[in-house]
Amino acid sequence: MNLQEAEHCLKSGEFAKAEEHLNLTLDLADDVTIRDKAVKSFALLEKQIPHVHHHEKKGGCGGCGGSTSQHSENIELEDDGLNDMDRFELLVRPLPGDLPERYADLGEEFAGGYLAAHGGDQMTAEKVFERLLASGESDILLYELAILSHQGGDGRRCETLLRRALALNDTNPLCNLSLVQLLTENGRFTEAVPLLERMVERDILPDQAGMFLGEIYRVQGESDRAIAQFSQLLSTPLKREAAERLVGLLETTGRSQEAALVAKQYLKGCC
């Protein structure tokens, strides 16, 4: 929904609103196609307003949805006249925290592997990452290999690599959130919850972690805990998404009057 709103704002010349919606898309999306479309839209936005800073590095859910994209998406980026390093920069710039700088510091060979992954050439990407990893342990390389493993259907290797990455750097936001996603995909909620709680306590993508906690409580039928969790997020940048979930929960628990108040306050103009 945020991506669609951003595209509409781009067409109508509302560039500030477009940037806001694109930032939210990158904060929330774990689907690689959506993320790549958002990155491409940022490239279009930058052409309209050269000083636009793509993403304020407030956080992004790389998730096990992955690191590669459909080949057609990257062809369109190539048609924009960008060279490899420009495309690499566009792809890593929205990453949370200091990850854009850390990714760039890994050098051109890593950038080539990263672009190969985003172009759907998983075999080339894996060879590059494995070769670099042989020269020294890196949480980023382990994370990228974990994503490739997940896309190849090897969930066990993905988890092993993510845990190795977290043993090296337990503050890496993508590793934390991806492990949570992997655990929840397999219904391992009791393992995911304490990890998410630690993320909130340590200020590692706290808003995204809070959304995940609320969703887990909702799926488990713990409506009161879910309502409390989403209510806490109404003062964060994810207030609209939290409000949408909160309204649904309040309505299903018979609290229609409260649902209407939340909708009126936080979902004005939401279609």
Side-chain angles (χ1 to χ4, degrees):
M1 184 181 70
N2 281 304
L3 184 60
Q4 291 173 350
E5 287 290 330
E7 290 171 349
H8 173 73
C9 291
L10 275 171
K11 291 175 182 177
S12 59
E14 299 178 82
F15 300 128
K17 287 185 178 180
E19 184 181 8
E20 180 181 347
H21 282 294
L22 289 173
N23 278 326
L24 283 170
T25 301
L26 289 167
D27 277 337
L28 294 170
D30 56 19
D31 180 89
V32 67
T33 303
I34 293 176
R35 289 183 64 80
D36 281 353
K37 285 182 178 179
V39 168
K40 188 171 60 181
S41 294
F42 265 126
L44 295 174
L45 180 59
E46 192 168 59
K47 287 183 177 181
Q48 300 294 330
I49 309 176
H51 65 271
V52 163
H53 297 291
H54 287 222
H55 189 56
E56 296 174 3
K57 300 176 188 174
K58 292 177 284 189
C61 303
C64 288
S67 202
T68 67
S69 66
Q70 296 177 4
H71 184 55
S72 59
E73 296 293 333
N74 289 278
I75 289 174
E76 292 182 36
L77 279 176
E78 290 169 5
D79 290 343
D80 285 337
L82 300 172
N83 62 37
D84 284 351
M85 292 310 294
D86 286 339
R87 288 201 303 278
F88 174 70
E89 183 186 351
L90 281 173
L91 288 168
V92 303
R93 194 181 299 179
L95 297 176
D98 64 352
L99 286 178
E101 293 79 12
R102 293 188 63 214
Y103 270 61
D105 287 344
L106 289 173
E108 289 189 19
E109 185 177 4
F110 171 77
Y114 193 80
L115 289 172
H118 276 264
D121 188 353
Q122 297 185 8
M123 185 176 297
T124 296
E126 186 167 3
K127 286 180 180 177
V128 170
F129 297 153
E130 290 281 11
R131 184 165 57 248
L132 291 171
L133 190 62
S135 300
E137 291 275 275
S138 163
D139 56 305
I140 291 175
L141 291 169
L142 289 166
Y143 168 77
E144 292 298 331
L145 285 168
I147 297 306
L148 293 176
S149 295
H150 185 273
Q151 291 168 347
D154 192 345
R156 181 174 297 180
R157 182 169 185 258
C158 176
E159 180 176 347
T160 298
L161 290 167
L162 287 174
R163 292 192 183 278
R164 278 178 61 189
L166 286 169
L168 287 175
N169 179 11
D170 63 0
T171 64
N172 185 313
L174 297 184
C175 293
N176 277 281
L177 207 57
S178 294
L179 181 56
V180 165
Q181 184 171 348
L182 186 65
L183 294 172
T184 55
E185 280 178 2
N186 293 286
R188 295 160 63 182
F189 300 127
T190 55
E191 296 176 65
V193 167
L195 178 57
L196 287 165
E197 290 173 343
R198 285 196 297 273
M199 289 176 66
V200 173
E201 291 170 5
R202 301 177 65 187
D203 200 31
I204 301 171
L205 300 181
D207 299 339
Q208 288 83 356
M211 288 291 291
F212 246 115
L213 277 171
E215 281 298 306
I216 288 175
Y217 295 147
R218 184 186 65 78
V219 169
Q220 291 183 314
E222 300 179 68
S223 297
D224 289 342
R225 295 186 73 179
I227 288 171
Q229 184 63 45
F230 290 131
S231 297
Q232 291 177 21
L233 295 169
L234 293 177
S235 59
T236 73
L238 302 185
K239 59 186 177 183
R240 189 183 187 111
E241 290 73 18
E244 289 170 353
R245 290 159 175 77
L246 183 57
V247 166
L249 280 165
L250 290 170
E251 287 178 343
T252 58
T253 53
R255 298 160 63 175
S256 300
Q257 197 167 23
E258 292 174 68
L261 288 173
V262 172
K264 182 178 180 181
Q265 184 171 355
Y266 294 98
L267 301 178
K268 293 176 183 176
C270 180
C271 50

